[in-house]
C-alpha cells in the first residue's frame, strides 16, 4: 500500500508528462489504425510501411513545435505548465527525434522487403521498384531522397549524443543540427502529403526565428556590452552585463548568449544569476565545461595577466614620480597673500596672490604629465566595456513557480546554484523594500511577510560543493542572507534556512597561504588550519570587505557556522524538512544528474513535489 501511495505521488508530480505521454500514445495508435484500415488488402509489409510513414509525418511536425522556446515562455506565463510539460520540452524533443529515426528505419525496411516480395512474384528486377521513375512529385526522386534522409538522420543522431554534447564539442552538435533544413526539404520532396503536416509548424518556427533575429538585430534589447569580467575559483567567470533598456526578466530565467570575441556564430544558454530588481546590470556565472566556455575563460585569463602587467608598470611609474618629487617634498612652502581695494567707483575686490614655491624643472613637470596621461589611456584600454555581447531571451524556467509555493526547498549542486542565486537575491530585495523602522529601537526590520513574496512562507536552501572555494561564487549573497537572518524578531529569522555542504576532502584548498588580514587577526599558527576545519572551534568572522578575495581562510571564517562537511544524509534532511513544513513542500533542484536521481527518490518517498531545472 505504501508503494502504491509513492507511485501515486510520483504520478502527481509528473502529471503533465504522463498526460502528454498518454496523448502521444493515443495519437500514434489512431494513426496506425487508420493506415491499417486503409491498406488492409495490400499486404502486411505495405501496412507497416504506410503506418510508420504516417507516424513519421506527425513526429516531424511535433519535433519542430518542441523547439518554440518563446511560445513556451508565453504559455508558462499563462499558467499552462500544469497541463503541458514545459519543463521537459528538451526531453520530449530528444525522444521524438529518436522516434523519427526508428520510424524512418522501419519505413525503409518495410518498403525494401515488400519490393523484394513483389519482384519475386512477377519476375521484375528489384531496382525497377527502387528507382521507379513514375513515383513522387519529381519522377525518380523518392528512393534517392529517402536514402538521403536516412543519411542526414544518421549524422544528426550521431552528433546529438550526450558524449558529443558534453565533450566540449558543442559546435559539432549545433552545426550538424542545422541539417534539419535540408532534411525537411527532402521530406517534402519524398512524400507528397507531408507538407500538410509541416506547413503549420514550419510557419510558427519561421515566425519565432524571425522574431529572434529582429529582437537581436533591430532592437537595442538584444545588443549590449560586458562591463566587467571576474575570474572566480574552480574555473568560473562572472560576467557583469549592462542591462539593455526594457529588458524584463524574472528570477530564474535564462538567456542565450553570443560573444563575437569568443565565437561569432555560437549561442549558448546561461541562467541569469542576478535579481531582476537590479535595474542597471545583470550577471552570468559561466563555468568551464567545453570549448566555448574554455575559450572565454582563457580570454579572461589573458586580460587579467595583461592588467597585472600594466598595473605593475603603473606602480613603477608612480615610484619614479615619487623619487623625482622627493627632494621637493622636504622643502618648506611659504604663501603670501595681499588684497588691495581700488577706489569706490569699482566695488569689486581685486585679489593679487603671490606664492613662493620651490622651482620645479620643466623636465620633471613634463614627465609627471606624460606619465599621468599614459596611465589614464592604459586603464581606458583595459576596461572591458567595449566587448559586445548579444542576448536572445529571456526564457523562463521552472524556478519562477517558487513564488506560488508555500514551502520551497532549493537544492543546488555546484554551478547549479545560479537560478537559486537569482531567486534569493530577489527575495532579499523584496524583503528589504518592505522594511520599516521600529518605533522603539529605530532599527529597520520586517515583522510580516511582504505581499511581494506571493504564497511563499518558508525557504530551505541547500548548496553542495566539492571544495570550499566554490562558495566564493556567491559569498556576498550568503553574507546578505545571513545578515538578514541575524535580526531578532524579523520575519527572515524563521523564513529562511541555509545549509552548505562540502563533499570533498576536509583540507584547506589552494592557495594555502592566508591573506594579510587573516595573519593579523588570527595570528596564524600551524594549528590554524585544524581549528578552522574543526566544527567545535569558534573562529572570528572575516571583514566584509574580503568577500571577493581568494583567501580560503576568509571564506571559511565567513561561512563556518553554515558549513557541513561530508555528503548530505538525505533521509535525515528530508525528514527534518517534512517535520517543519507548514504545507506541501516543493523541491527545486539544479545540478548533476547523479544527485538528481537521489533527490527524486527522496521526493517520491516523502511525497514532495520535484522540479528539476535544466543544467
Amino acid at each position: 500500500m505504501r508503494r502504491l501511495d509513492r507511485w501515486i505521488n510520483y504520478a502527481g508530480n509528473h502529471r503533465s508528462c504522463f498526460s502528454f505521454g498518454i496523448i502521444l500514445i493515443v495519437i500514434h495508435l489512431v494513426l496506425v489504425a487508420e493506415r491499417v484500415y486503409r491498406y488492409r488488402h495490400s499486404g502486411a509489409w505495405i501496412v507497416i510501411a504506410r503506418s510508420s510513414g504516417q507516424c513519421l509525418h506527425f513526429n516531424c511536425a511535433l519535433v519542430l513545435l518542441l523547439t518554440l522556446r518563446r511560445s513556451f515562455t508565453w504559455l508558462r506565463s499563462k499558467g499552462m505548465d500544469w497541463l503541458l510539460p514545459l519543463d521537459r520540452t528538451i526531453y520530449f524533443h530528444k525522444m521524438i527525434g529518436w522516434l523519427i529515426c526508428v520510424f524512418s528505419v522501419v519505413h525503409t525496411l518495410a518498403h525494401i522487403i515488400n519490393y523484394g516480395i513483389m519482384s519475386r512474384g512477377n519476375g521484375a528486377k528489384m531496382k525497377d521498384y527502387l528507382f521507379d521513375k513514375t513515383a513522387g512529385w519529381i519522377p525518380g526522386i523518392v528512393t534517392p531522397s529517402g536514402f538521403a534522409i536516412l543519411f542526414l538522420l544518421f549524422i544528426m543522431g550521431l552528433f546529438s549524443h550526450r558524449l558529443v554534447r558534453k565533450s566540449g564539442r558543442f559546435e559539432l552538435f549545433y552545426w550538424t543540427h542545422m541539417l534539419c533544413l535540408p532534411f525537411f526539404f527532402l521530406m517534402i520532396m519524398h512524400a507528397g502529403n507531408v507538407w500538410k503536416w509541416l506547413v503549420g509548424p514550419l510557419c510558427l518556427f519561421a515566425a519565432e526565428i524571425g522574431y529572434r533575429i529582429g529582437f537581436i538585430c533591430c532592437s537595442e534589447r538584444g545588443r549590449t556590452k560586458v562591463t566587467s569580467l571576474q575570474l572566480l575559483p574552480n574555473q568560473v567567470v562572472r560576467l557583469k552585463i549592462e542591462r539593455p533598456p526594457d529588458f524584463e526578466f524574472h528570477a530564474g530565467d535564462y538567456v542565450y548568449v553570443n560573444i563575437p570575441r569568443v565565437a561569432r556564430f555560437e549561442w549558448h544558454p546561461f541562467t541569469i544569476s542576478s535579481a531582476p530588481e537590479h535595474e542597471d546590470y545583470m550577471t552570468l556565472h559561466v563555468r568551464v565545461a567545453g570549448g566555448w566556455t574554455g575559450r572565454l575563460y582563457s580570454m579572461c585569463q589573458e586580460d587579467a595577466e595583461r592588467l597585472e602587467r600594466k598595473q605593475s608598470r603603473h606602480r613603477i611609474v608612480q615610484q619614479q614620480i615619487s623619487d623625482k618629487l622627493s627632494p621637493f617634498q622636504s622643502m618648506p612652502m611659504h604663501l603670501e597673500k595681499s588684497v588691495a581695494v581700488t577706489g569706490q567707483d569699482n566695488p569689486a575686490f581685486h585679489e593679487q596672490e603671490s606664492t613662493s614655491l620651490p622651482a620645479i624643472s620643466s623636465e620633471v613637470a613634463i614627465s609627471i604629465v606624460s606619465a599621468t596621461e599614459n596611465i589614464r589611456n592604459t586603464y581606458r584600454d583595459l576596461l572591458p566595456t567595449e566587448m559586445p555581447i548579444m542576448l536572445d531571451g529571456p526564457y523562463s524556467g521552472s524556478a519562477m513557480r517558487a513564488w506560488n509555493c508555500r514551502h520551497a526547498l532549493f537544492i543546488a549542486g555546484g554551478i547549479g546554484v545560479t537560478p537559486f542565486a537569482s531567486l534569493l537575491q530577489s527575495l532579499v530585495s523584496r524583503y528589504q523594500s518592505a522594511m520599516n523602522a521600529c518605533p522603539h529601537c529605530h532599527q529597520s526590520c520586517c515583522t510580516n511577510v511582504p505581499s511581494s513574496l506571493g504564497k511563499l512562507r518558508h525557504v530551505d536552501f541547500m548548496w553542495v560543493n566539492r571544495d570550499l572555494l566554490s562558495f566564493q561564487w556567491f559569498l556576498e549573497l550568503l553574507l546578505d542572507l545571513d545578515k538578514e537572518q541575524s535580526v531578532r524578531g524579523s520575519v527572515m529569522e524563521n523564513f529562511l534556512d541555509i545549509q552548505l555542504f562540502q563533499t570533498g576532502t576536509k583540507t584547506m584548498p589552494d592557495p594555502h597561504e592566508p591573506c594579510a588580514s587573516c595573519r593579523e587577526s588570527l595570528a596564524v599558527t600551524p594549528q590554524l588550519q585544524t581549528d578552522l576545519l574543526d566544527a567545535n572551534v569558534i573562529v572570528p568572522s572575516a571583514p566584509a570587505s574580503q568577500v571577493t578575495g581568494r583567501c580560503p581562510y576568509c571564506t571559511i571564517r565567513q561561512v563556518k557556522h553554515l558549513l557541513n562537511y561530508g555528503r548530505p544524509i538525505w533521509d535525515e534532511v528530508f525528514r527534518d524538512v517534512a517535520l517543519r513544513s507548514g504545507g506541501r513542500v516543493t523541491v527545486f533542484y539544479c545540478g548533476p544528474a547523479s544527485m538528481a536521481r537521489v533527490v527524486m527518490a527522496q521526493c517520491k518517498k516523502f511525497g514532495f513535489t520535484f522540479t528539476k531545472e535544466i543544467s
Side-chain angles (χ1 to χ4, degrees), residues 226-241:
V226 178
T227 58
S228 69
L229 294 167
Q230 184 180 4
L231 290 174
L232 297 174
N234 295 327
Q235 294 186 315
V236 172
V237 181
R238 179 181 181 268
L239 304 177
K240 186 175 181 181
I241 303 169

Side-chain angles (χ1 to χ4, degrees), residues 191-498:
N193 293 323
V194 71
W195 67 270
K196 299 175 183 178
W197 294 87
L198 296 180
V199 61
L202 281 174
C203 289
L204 291 175
F205 182 78
E208 182 153 322
I209 292 297
Y211 180 83
R212 293 182 200 170
I213 294 175
F215 178 86
I216 296 168
C217 300
C218 306
S219 170
E220 293 183 356
R221 294 175 58 194
R223 291 176 175 269
T224 181
K225 57 189 177 182
V226 178
T227 58
S228 69
L229 294 167
Q230 184 180 4
L231 290 174
L232 297 174
N234 295 327
Q235 294 186 315
V236 172
V237 181
R238 179 181 181 268
L239 304 177
K240 186 175 181 181
I241 303 169
E242 182 179 308
R243 187 167 173 177
D246 301 325
F247 190 90
E248 302 296 333
F249 66 93
H250 300 284
D253 286 359
Y254 67 96
V255 291
Y256 278 78
V257 171
N258 173 266
I259 302 179
R261 184 178 168 187
V262 179
R264 185 175 297 275
F265 300 107
E266 291 189 32
W267 292 80
H268 296 270
F270 296 102
T271 303
I272 302 173
S273 56
S274 58
E277 285 78 11
H278 300 156
E279 299 179 354
D280 299 331
Y281 69 93
M282 53 189 287
T283 61
L284 303 175
H285 283 70
V286 181
R287 186 170 189 177
V288 175
W292 188 90
T293 52
R295 292 194 297 272
L296 174 64
Y297 189 81
S298 298
M299 181 194 71
C300 295
Q301 278 187 318
E302 293 173 0
D303 289 347
E305 291 172 359
R306 187 170 63 251
L307 174 62
E308 186 175 355
R309 289 195 299 269
K310 293 189 176 181
Q311 285 180 336
S312 177
R313 290 199 296 268
H314 177 204
R315 287 192 293 268
I316 293 173
V317 170
Q318 284 185 324
Q319 185 62 37
Q320 291 175 347
I321 295 174
S322 177
D323 293 342
K324 291 182 179 180
L325 291 178
S326 57
F328 306 100
Q329 291 174 353
S330 59
M331 297 178 63
M333 181 180 294
H334 304 283
L335 180 65
E336 297 177 359
K337 181 175 179 181
S338 60
V339 179
V341 181
T342 56
Q344 297 180 350
D345 295 336
N346 187 4
F349 290 91
H350 299 275
E351 298 184 358
Q352 298 176 350
E353 300 180 4
S354 61
T355 307
S356 299
L357 295 173
I360 300 178
S361 66
S362 59
E363 180 183 354
V364 174
I366 293 173
S367 66
I368 295 173
V369 174
S370 60
T372 305
E373 291 298 322
N374 289 335
I375 294 169
R376 188 180 295 115
N377 293 333
T378 296
Y379 279 93
R380 185 183 297 119
D381 295 337
L382 279 172
L383 292 176
T385 53
E386 299 303 321
M387 189 174 76
I389 184 173
M390 290 184 286
L391 307 175
D392 175 20
Y395 299 107
S396 62
S398 60
M400 67 178 295
R401 294 210 306 257
W403 307 114
N404 297 323
C405 304
R406 184 170 184 83
H407 190 153
L409 171 57
F410 299 153
I411 302 178
I415 198 62
V417 73
T418 49
F420 308 128
S422 177
L423 281 165
L424 292 173
Q425 289 179 74
S426 181
L427 187 151
V428 171
S429 298
R430 298 183 187 194
Y431 172 79
Q432 291 177 344
S433 63
M435 293 176 65
N436 296 312
C438 176
H440 304 289
C441 63
H442 303 289
Q443 183 178 7
S444 296
C445 66
C446 184
T447 56
N448 296 315
V449 178
S451 60
S452 57
L453 298 184
K455 300 179 182 179
L456 194 60
R457 292 298 177 267
H458 191 84
V459 173
D460 284 281
F461 173 56
M462 296 177 57
W463 187 9
V464 183
N465 274 313
R466 187 177 298 275
D467 59 67
L468 290 167
L469 289 182
S470 298
F471 294 111
Q472 290 187 353
W473 299 341
F474 294 99
L475 186 56
E476 189 173 357
L477 170 62
L478 295 175
L479 296 179
D480 288 340
L481 294 173
D482 190 51
K483 177 184 176 183
E484 298 299 340
Q485 280 186 298
S486 63
V487 179
R488 293 291 182 183
S490 67
V491 69
M492 191 64 74
E493 184 180 6
N494 299 315
F495 186 90
L496 178 66
D497 287 310
I498 303 174

